[in-house]
Amino acid sequence: MVEVRSEKLQRSESKIREDSKDLHISGEPGMGKSEFLCHLQRRLEPEYTIVEKVVRRQHNINSIARDILHSVRRKAPERDSKPNQVTNISAGIGPVSGGGTVDDRVRDIHKLEDLTTDWSGTPLIVCLDDIHKIADDEQTVCDFIGEAASVLGDQVHLITAGRITVSGISEVQQTHLGYFTVNQTRRFLQGESRSLSEETVRSVHSKVDGHPLYLDLLTASSESEEDFRLPEEKVYSTIEQRYIESLPLETEEFLRDIAPLPELDEKKVSNILEGKSQTEVSRSLRSLEQRVIVQEVNRTDEGDKLYKINEHFREFLVQKHPNSEDIHRSAFDYHVKKLREIFNEDSDEVWRLLLPHAFNVKHHLEGIYGEGNPEDYRQEIDRLGLKYPERAPVIIHTGLSLFNTEVISLFRAEQERFSDWLLEEAENEPVAELLAQLIELMLSQFDSEDSMGLSDVQVDASVDDLPMESEPFSDVDLTDEQVKHLRQSVIYTFSFFFEEEPYQSEEHRQHAIKSFDRYGISPEVLSEFKEQVEAVLLNSELGDQAGEIIEEYFESMETELEKAVMSSLDMYEMRSQTLKFGMDMFDSVHREAFLESGLIADIALDCGEALEQADNPAFSLLWYTLFLSYFRQHQGEADCFEELVDRFEEQLAERRSYQEGIENPIFSADNTEETVELESIKKD
């Protein structure tokens, strides 16, 4: 491997040996940063011990600092080695075990400082390649480089390489790599044994602009001087094609087969390609990585290495695929299968685990149909023979990930099929029919011209057909009388939807209203409460603000998904960005549309005032309890906080007085006060 940038290598070596500086190697993709780092390491050995780490997408600042600490500790002389201090020890006798805990209060980066300050062994160099992958924000990466360089002792140096530039770090010298000069191109092309004419050298340099990657690909696929003669146009694609075609036939066929896949790991590829074992796929991917055709970008949730085809080759290989629709469909099937496995795992992280597979499903659906819409998606799900109930979580979860605001049309299209399944499988047909109509009611609310009303929900059945036992209330501390009234209220509510007799709907509605009235809240109070909610919302700009933010969120996600397919960004990193964007979106809506606008404060106070008119203060007390818990997290930003505390105390006193005449109240004012922790609120 010939040294092309000899002068820069000499200066970089001198900065470390003579000036005791740390070093950062910067440059765009394909500029030869890793090769430069390799040459520099050869020059520094054996006078220096070298520890090398390649940063991957799954790493973060803390994990890299920990890895460096462990690597340096393994290289440390015995007298310098400083393991974590044991802070607590427990003894064990016989079958009773003992153990200890280590001091984790000190950050790993500062443990590294303690370890290297008086380094007594062979001088050490820590190399971190692809340092830009440690964080999305360039300044965060620079801050980490600066902090790491500042804590290392005089005999321990840091060399980083990545696509970012560093500035303002006194301990770190930057070496920037760009395109080759003519002399560097000549040195590279001539290599150790090749002889090319000056005309050929200058022609090649001019046509590839001295691009190190394409010079490397050209030399790897050329034997005679004639092979170095390039066309005037489409030079890069010509070199890419020659390089691919210079590979063994089996390797080239494997590449073309996997080209439509945005990401590659051994399990996925072996499941999609017939006749390929995981071992064979793993070996092929490692070989292609050495040839710079694929690059490792991350690891899957199962710990497998995740690769992508280098973007320089991807377009050419996709064009050469014999039937990309077939492999898109096979990949679609694979990721739907993975989604179903995740649903069956009963994990608390279902949403996080399924996102990368949902993104892949979207990509492959578009690969089959061009754009891909809800009807196309349903057609593919039908092809897989996926039926309810297994079909439900796939439709719901992936629908939200795939179709954004179009998800309602997907749910509407599925409504009839879901209702049919529900009516076939449910033990109680009236309950199933009621549930199906309520779902139809909910979905119709997204259609301003044809939305259903509650009175449109009618079931041809009798309340006698319902399994109306008292068990739902058996775990609650209620008297028999209270259970009787609650059960009767449920019957009235259900009866309102049943067509036993036409006149009974109104009768049951009146009975339901009386039940509300029995617990102290009249139709007048409910009407006033509803009017207050509507007044606050209509006077706000919540709809427009939230709509703009949500639309911006979905547009950002579409852009990022396109980038993930066409660049080194992978679906697992895409997941991190999605979750971060989601949190940012929530914070934006929450802060701009709720907190800063005063909307939540108006709802809390105005609607609470309406509930105070009820005979039973329980409703207003619970209302103020809810908003006190919310505003407690944002006390410094809510002008209404003190007024809410005052109102809560007033309603607390009212509830205490009200419940004195009740033998066994459903809830106690004292319990509410304990939940709110009023004393600690006042101290705050």
Side-chain angles (χ1 to χ4, degrees), residues 337-354:
K337 177 185 175 185
K338 295 298 292 184
L339 289 171
R340 296 174 66 186
E341 290 175 1
I342 291 169
F343 293 135
N344 291 329
E345 287 176 4
D346 194 27
S347 169
D348 294 333
E349 295 189 302
V350 166
W351 185 256
R352 190 186 71 84
L353 292 172
L354 70 82

Side-chain angles (χ1 to χ4, degrees), residues 346-617:
D346 194 27
S347 169
D348 294 333
E349 295 189 302
V350 166
W351 185 256
R352 190 186 71 84
L353 292 172
L354 70 82
L355 271 179
H357 298 289
F359 291 147
N360 273 283
V361 166
K362 180 177 178 63
H363 170 74
H364 293 297
L365 186 70
E366 291 174 349
I368 300 168
Y369 291 99
E371 288 189 1
N373 56 47
E375 194 53 44
D376 295 332
Y377 181 58
R378 292 181 71 232
Q379 184 174 324
E380 291 303 308
I381 294 296
D382 289 344
R383 179 181 57 78
L384 291 173
L386 197 57
K387 302 182 184 302
Y388 287 100
E390 292 84 6
R391 186 181 178 105
V394 174
I395 290 290
I396 293 171
H397 284 81
T398 57
L400 293 169
S401 305
L402 292 171
F403 300 112
N404 303 334
T405 53
E406 291 183 54
V407 71
I408 298 302
S409 64
L410 173 65
F411 292 162
R412 282 177 180 154
E414 282 290 305
Q415 177 188 333
E416 182 178 351
R417 184 174 303 194
F418 174 74
S419 298
D420 290 344
W421 168 78
L422 195 62
L423 291 169
E424 283 180 15
E425 298 297 325
E427 293 182 4
N428 191 280
E429 187 174 337
V431 173
E433 175 64 28
L434 179 58
L435 180 58
Q437 290 196 39
L438 289 173
I439 292 173
E440 184 180 1
L441 169 70
M442 179 189 69
L443 290 175
S444 76
Q445 303 311 303
F446 294 93
D447 187 346
S448 57
E449 296 181 359
D450 193 25
S451 61
M452 293 172 58
L454 199 59
S455 60
D456 295 323
V457 178
Q458 292 288 307
V459 178
D460 186 11
S462 166
V463 74
D464 294 334
D465 297 323
L466 296 177
M468 299 298 295
E469 294 89 9
S470 301
E471 277 73 10
F473 311 110
S474 60
D475 294 333
V476 186
D477 187 15
L478 300 174
T479 65
D480 291 341
E481 186 68 17
Q482 288 170 334
V483 169
K484 176 183 175 183
H485 280 288
L486 286 172
R487 181 175 179 273
Q488 193 63 44
S489 297
V490 172
I491 291 175
Y492 290 147
T493 302
F494 272 112
S495 298
F496 178 68
F497 298 109
F498 291 152
E499 299 175 323
E500 296 177 286
E501 296 290 344
Y503 70 88
Q504 286 187 342
S505 290
E506 179 60 25
E507 179 184 342
H508 289 306
R509 190 174 74 86
Q510 293 300 328
H511 277 301
I513 289 173
K514 285 181 182 179
S515 295
F516 278 111
D517 199 36
R518 179 180 184 276
Y519 286 101
I521 189 163
S522 66
E524 291 75 22
V525 171
L526 288 175
S527 177
E528 175 67 18
F529 177 79
K530 178 175 178 288
E531 288 176 6
Q532 287 293 343
V533 172
E534 289 178 347
V536 172
L537 292 178
L538 287 173
N539 291 330
S540 76
E541 297 178 356
L542 170 64
D544 292 339
Q545 286 179 303
E548 289 173 5
I549 293 170
I550 291 170
E551 193 64 35
E552 182 182 337
Y553 168 75
F554 285 136
E555 287 178 1
S556 298
M557 295 317 304
E558 286 291 338
T559 302
E560 291 301 317
L561 188 56
E562 289 175 10
K563 284 168 56 180
V565 172
M566 298 306 297
S567 72
S568 62
L569 185 69
D570 62 89
M571 301 302 187
Y572 289 84
E573 186 183 6
M574 174 74 177
R575 170 178 64 193
S576 300
Q577 294 194 11
T578 300
L579 297 176
K580 182 179 183 299
F581 287 157
M583 290 300 298
D584 290 345
M585 181 187 72
F586 174 81
D587 289 344
S588 296
V589 173
H590 174 233
R591 183 167 304 282
E592 295 175 20
F594 287 83
L595 271 179
E596 294 178 359
S597 68
L599 178 64
I600 288 290
D602 290 342
I603 290 177
L605 296 175
D606 295 354
C607 299
E609 190 173 0
L611 291 175
E612 286 181 25
Q613 299 174 34
D615 294 336
N616 187 344

Side-chain angles (χ1 to χ4, degrees), residues 235-280:
V235 175
Y236 289 162
S237 59
T238 298
I239 295 174
E240 292 164 7
Q241 181 175 348
R242 285 186 186 177
Y243 184 67
I244 295 297
E245 291 175 349
S246 71
L247 300 173
L249 180 59
E250 184 180 352
T251 304
E252 184 182 353
E253 289 176 347
F254 174 76
L255 258 178
R256 289 181 178 178
D257 285 341
I258 63 175
L261 302 176
E263 297 172 344
L264 311 163
D265 67 78
E266 57 188 57
K267 289 180 183 174
K268 178 199 299 185
V269 175
S270 63
N271 273 276
I272 292 173
L273 296 186
E274 294 183 4
K276 291 285 185 182
S277 69
Q278 288 188 30
T279 303
E280 290 174 314

Side-chain angles (χ1 to χ4, degrees), residues 309-339:
I309 294 177
N310 191 307
E311 56 198 273
H312 297 288
F313 300 105
R314 180 173 172 76
E315 185 177 353
F316 165 73
L317 287 167
V318 168
Q319 291 173 350
K320 292 293 184 180
H321 196 279
N323 192 346
S324 60
E325 184 177 314
D326 284 350
I327 197 157
H328 279 303
R329 189 161 270 122
S330 296
F332 178 95
D333 297 354
Y334 170 79
H335 286 288
V336 170
K337 177 185 175 185
K338 295 298 292 184
L339 289 171

